């Protein structure tokens, strides 16, 4: 080998390095190789038509050329869609579904220490000197072939018990509203994780390209006892196109969606095309996956300008439908109207519709407060199940009803013959599910005679989440996203599918 070849590389090293550095500084190199690939993979999950048009070499390859999905679903799904009727504040299971006749004789007596077993209490009742037990003020009866117990507060739900699977043994580790709601929605009590709807849209994509996969409806006329935050339906560390989109009542169901005055669809299309090419240049420079997400969101917003007014237009619904859901269903934004809108969104193949109804936090004057809540929600909830069933949608639509925890058997505050309050109770509460792949007319789990402790088949929040994902054909341990060096999942490091409630 000649001497020249030996030391030529040494002589040119500095110049070569400078040349390489000019072409690609370190940050760009890193973003190109790691984030760049990630962004394409993420983009492909959306299963959308080509986001990147144009064939300039600078543009990333078309998303169609990348295999869709995370190998999902893992197995045959029973559910295609879910409506989650979240009753925010903690409905009292003891006054609705978990019938405890022995409490009638124990009314006013102290809760035995052996039952409470040192459980921590909230700051609201921890300083009470006495914990008198309160029997429900409401009558219970058995209904349907399943002979399920339902209180007089829920007469319409009582008509559909044979469709429902009651889980009476729900448990949570969280005793205060915000961590408890955040835990149900995201699998973790602290903010920052993706919500279940975001996980599902990330994992399974969308079945309707003109509407978001995850839509949130909040009752406008509910008692505002506990605040709700948009982060409850947020994307956490997933790309932002997977967050829930809130639809509001009124002339602008989605904020900032309308065109400015004297501005038509053609102008908007042109503007978006220019914006897209600018975003593509930026994507090529930085390789940030959020730029892909931004392009996708602008395109979705453009399509939503026609799809949203169409799906939120209730004028074509016949009178019998309003009669089924109740008079309030004619008033957009009420719980009843949102139940009806949820059915319309499901018909359009929106994957996840989440309703939030606040006002179940009855620390005092429970009998009056809960009666009011049930009058606002009972009929529409039952109507939704009947309506889905008669349209053939219930067989592949999952419906979930419940709050973040239950209420205590002992009274918070003064107990009288016909008045009492109940504090938060994470140790046992009732939720129900029905539809896609869930056994109808079933009661699962059991609490003791005081409705205080679970004595049979406990179900944790992560168990419920694992079961919901399972119904969508997802193995909850395999739906993961790598963030800050570890793989995260909705069920964190826990969760078992509750197989006994599945068909």
């Amino acid at each position: 080998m000649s001497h020249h070849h030996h030391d030529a590389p040494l002589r040119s090293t500095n110049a070569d390095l400078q040349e390489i550095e000019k072409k690609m500084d370190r940050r760009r190199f890193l973003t190109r190789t790691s984030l760049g690939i990630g962004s394409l993979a993420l983009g492909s999950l959306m299963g959308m038509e080509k986001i990147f048009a144009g064939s300039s070499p600078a543009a990333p390859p078309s998303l169609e050329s990348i295999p869709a999905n995370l190998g999902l679903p893992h197995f045959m799904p029973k559910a295609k869609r879910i409506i989650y009727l979240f009753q925010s504040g903690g409905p009292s299971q003891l006054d609705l579904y978990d019938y405890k006749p022995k409490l009638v004789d124990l009314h006013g007596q102290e809760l035995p220490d052996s039952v409470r077993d040192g459980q921590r209490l909230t700051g609201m009742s921890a300083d009470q000197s006495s914990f008198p037990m309160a029997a429900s003020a409401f009558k219970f009866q058995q209904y349907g072939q399943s002979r399920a117990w339902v209180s007089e507060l829920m007469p319409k739900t009582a008509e559909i018990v044979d469709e429902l699977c009651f889980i009476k043994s729900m448990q949570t580790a969280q005793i205060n509203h915000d961590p408890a709601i955040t835990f149900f929605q995201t699998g973790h009590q602290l903010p920052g994780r993706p919500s279940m709807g975001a996980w599902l849209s990330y994992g399974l994509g969308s079945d309707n390209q003109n509407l978001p996969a995850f839509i949130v409806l909040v009752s406008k006329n509910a008692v505002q006892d506990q605040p709700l935050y948009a982060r409850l339906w947020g994307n956490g560390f997933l790309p932002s196109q997977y967050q829930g989109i809130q639809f509001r009542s009124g002339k602008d169901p989605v904020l900032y969606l309308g065109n400015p005055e004297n501005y038509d669809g053609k102008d908007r299309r042109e503007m978006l095309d220019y914006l897209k090419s600018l975003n593509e240049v930026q994507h090529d420079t930085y390789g940030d996956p959020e730029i892909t997400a931004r392009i996708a969101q602008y395109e979705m917003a453009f399509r939503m300008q026609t799809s949203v007014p169409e799906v939120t237009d209730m004028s074509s619904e016949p009178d019998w439908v309003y009669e089924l859901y109740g008079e309030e269903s004619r008033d957009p934004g009420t719980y009843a109207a949102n139940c009806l809108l949820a059915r319309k969104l499901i018909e359009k193949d929106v994957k996840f519709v989440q309703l939030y109804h606040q006002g179940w936090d009855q620390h005092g004057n429970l009998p009056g407060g809960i009666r009011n809540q049930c009058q606002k929600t009972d009929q529409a909830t039952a109507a939704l199940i009947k309506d889905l069933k008669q349209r053939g949608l219930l067989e592949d639509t999952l419906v979930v009803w419940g709050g973040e925890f239950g209420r205590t058997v002992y009274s918070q505050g003064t107990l009288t013959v016909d008045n009492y309050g109940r504090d938060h109770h994470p140790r046992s509460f009732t939720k129900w599910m029905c539809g896609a792949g869930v056994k109808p007319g079933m009661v699962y789990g059991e609490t003791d005679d005081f409705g205080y402790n679970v004595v049979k088949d406990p179900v944790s929040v992560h168990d419920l989440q694992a079961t919901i994902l399972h119904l969508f054909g997802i193995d909850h341990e395999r739906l993961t996203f790598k963030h800050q060096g570890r793989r995260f999942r909705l069920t964190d490091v826990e969760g078992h599918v509750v197989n006994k409630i599945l068909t």
Side-chain angles (χ1 to χ4, degrees):
M1 217 180 205
S2 79
H3 176 77
H4 171 77
H5 278 125
H6 246 296
D7 61 359
L10 299 176
R11 276 203 305 271
S12 59
T13 300
N14 285 350
D16 285 353
L17 277 179
Q18 280 165 350
E19 190 56 33
I20 290 166
E21 271 171 18
K22 252 189 275 176
K23 282 186 183 151
M24 189 178 276
D25 60 76
R26 184 165 173 273
R27 175 179 166 186
R28 195 160 163 204
F29 172 75
L30 288 171
T31 52
R32 266 296 181 69
T33 48
S34 56
L35 288 176
I37 294 163
S39 72
L40 298 178
L42 292 172
S44 74
L45 295 172
M46 297 170 347
M48 289 179 50
E49 58 276 77
K50 274 189 193 160
I51 287 175
F52 304 103
S55 56
S56 71
S62 131
L63 295 177
E64 289 174 345
S65 65
I66 295 162
N69 250 313
L70 303 152
L72 283 161
H74 297 129
F75 40 83
M76 265 309 276
K78 297 265 177 72
K80 279 190 187 160
R81 303 165 289 267
I82 174 173
I83 301 175
Y84 196 146
L85 304 169
F86 196 83
Q87 312 299 323
S88 177
S92 168
Q93 74 286 6
L94 295 165
D95 296 279
L96 299 175
Y97 300 121
D98 201 8
Y99 179 47
K100 297 296 166 192
K102 290 197 178 165
L103 288 177
V104 176
D105 296 331
L106 298 169
H107 190 76
Q109 291 184 32
E110 286 294 307
L111 173 69
D113 284 345
S114 60
V115 175
R116 188 181 136 198
D117 196 23
Q119 188 204 350
R120 76 182 179 119
L121 306 174
T122 74
M124 286 155 291
S125 59
D127 55 358
Q128 282 185 205
S129 54
S130 162
F131 297 95
M133 291 182 282
S136 178
F138 305 102
K139 292 189 204 60
F140 278 73
Q141 263 179 273
Q142 287 176 289
Y143 295 89
Q145 288 182 312
S146 55
R147 312 305 297 141
W149 289 100
V150 180
S151 114
E152 62 185 296
L153 291 171
M154 294 282 199
K156 295 290 186 187
T157 304
E159 294 172 12
I160 57 156
V161 288
D162 287 341
E163 301 296 339
L164 309 181
C165 172
F166 290 96
I167 301 173
K168 294 196 172 174
S169 51
M170 283 302 307
Q171 297 184 318
T172 179
Q174 309 307 323
I175 201 167
N176 291 313
H177 296 282
D178 190 64
I181 296 175
T182 306
F183 192 39
F184 256 105
Q185 302 307 325
T186 71
H188 200 267
Q189 74 272 23
L190 298 176
R193 303 279 179 98
S195 56
M196 181 159 42
W199 276 114
L200 274 173
S201 15
Y202 162 69
L204 298 173
S206 172
D207 298 322
N208 179 336
Q209 304 296 359
N210 300 317
L211 287 167
F214 177 22
I215 292 175
V216 175
L217 307 169
V218 179
S219 307
K220 70 174 184 186
N221 60 339
V223 181
Q224 304 292 315
D225 48 17
Q226 293 301 328
L228 293 172
Y229 308 97
R231 62 172 168 74
L232 292 170
W233 47 92
N235 53 297
F237 43 68
L238 293 175
S240 54
Q241 72 258 36
Y242 302 115
Q243 67 190 317
I245 303 296
Q246 187 181 349
F247 278 25
R248 299 153 197 270
S249 57
K251 69 176 194 355
D252 282 328
V254 180
L255 298 181
Y256 318 117
L257 197 59
N259 282 324
E261 260 179 84
N262 307 321
Y263 198 80
D264 66 16
K266 190 171 156 294
D267 293 340
R268 171 65 79 195
R269 183 67 268 170
E270 248 171 62
M271 187 277 284
L272 283 179
D273 289 340
Y274 279 114
L275 187 63
K276 187 159 97 178
S277 50
L278 286 172
N279 277 325
E280 281 171 359
V281 169
Q282 198 180 11
H283 181 277
D284 189 48
T285 311
Y286 298 111
D288 180 355
E290 270 302 300
I291 297 170
T292 319
R294 191 187 310 154
I295 296 173
Q297 283 165 314
Y298 274 117
E299 291 296 329
M300 172 60 83
F302 180 66
R303 295 195 297 273
M304 281 165 65
Q305 288 187 326
T306 44
S307 63
V308 170
E310 181 198 331
V311 77
T312 54
D313 174 18
M314 295 292 181
S315 57
S316 58
E317 292 293 332
D319 282 343
W320 67 262
V321 168
Y322 289 116
E323 281 153 27
L324 180 66
Y325 284 82
E327 203 39 51
E328 277 204 330
S329 64
R330 292 180 187 275
D331 179 7
T334 59
Y335 178 81
N338 285 346
C339 282
L340 175 49
L341 178 54
R343 185 218 83 207
K344 289 190 66 163
L345 293 168
I346 284 301
E347 284 181 302
K348 291 266 191 269
D349 281 321
V350 171
K351 191 169 284 339
F352 198 119
V353 183
Q354 174 115 34
L355 272 68
Y356 286 92
H357 187 77
Q358 294 156 282
W360 293 96
D361 193 27
Q362 279 101 27
H363 288 276
N365 301 318
L366 182 139
I370 201 167
R371 177 172 303 226
N372 192 24
Q373 283 296 92
C374 293
Q375 281 166 351
K376 281 194 159 83
T377 58
D378 172 48
Q379 181 173 349
T381 300
L384 177 61
I385 306 301
K386 292 173 185 169
D387 203 6
L388 290 171
K389 187 169 189 186
Q390 71 194 4
R391 290 167 197 268
L393 290 164
L394 195 57
E395 57 207 45
D396 54 10
T397 303
L398 180 66
V399 184
V400 182
W401 180 99
E404 67 268 39
F405 39 53
R407 312 302 296 192
T408 54
V409 61
Y410 61 81
S411 179
Q412 181 179 339
T414 313
L415 173 69
T416 64
V417 178
D418 56 0
N419 201 1
Y420 49 91
R422 297 192 191 278
D423 202 354
H424 308 165
H425 189 61
R427 228 183 231 196
S428 64
F429 55 109
T430 300
K431 260 188 150 47
W432 59 250
M433 295 166 75
C434 75
V438 173
K439 278 186 188 158
M442 179 178 184
V443 172
Y444 183 81
E446 203 180 303
T447 56
D448 60 20
D449 290 339
F450 305 91
Y452 198 96
N453 293 300
V454 171
V455 293
K456 189 179 166 211
D457 296 329
V459 178
S460 73
V461 175
H462 286 133
D463 294 341
L464 185 80
Q465 291 162 337
T467 307
I468 290 171
L469 291 180
H470 178 86
L471 287 164
F472 278 89
I474 297 172
D475 173 349
H476 70 104
E477 294 187 2
R478 285 161 63 198
L479 176 61
T480 60
F481 186 88
K482 199 165 180 193
H483 171 65
Q484 291 182 341
R486 75 164 261 211
R487 292 188 188 283
F488 286 87
R489 56 181 223 233
L490 173 64
T491 50
D492 200 40
V493 294
E494 298 167 314
H496 298 279
V497 175
V498 189
N499 284 304
K500 285 182 185 160
I501 69 170
L502 305 178
T503 53

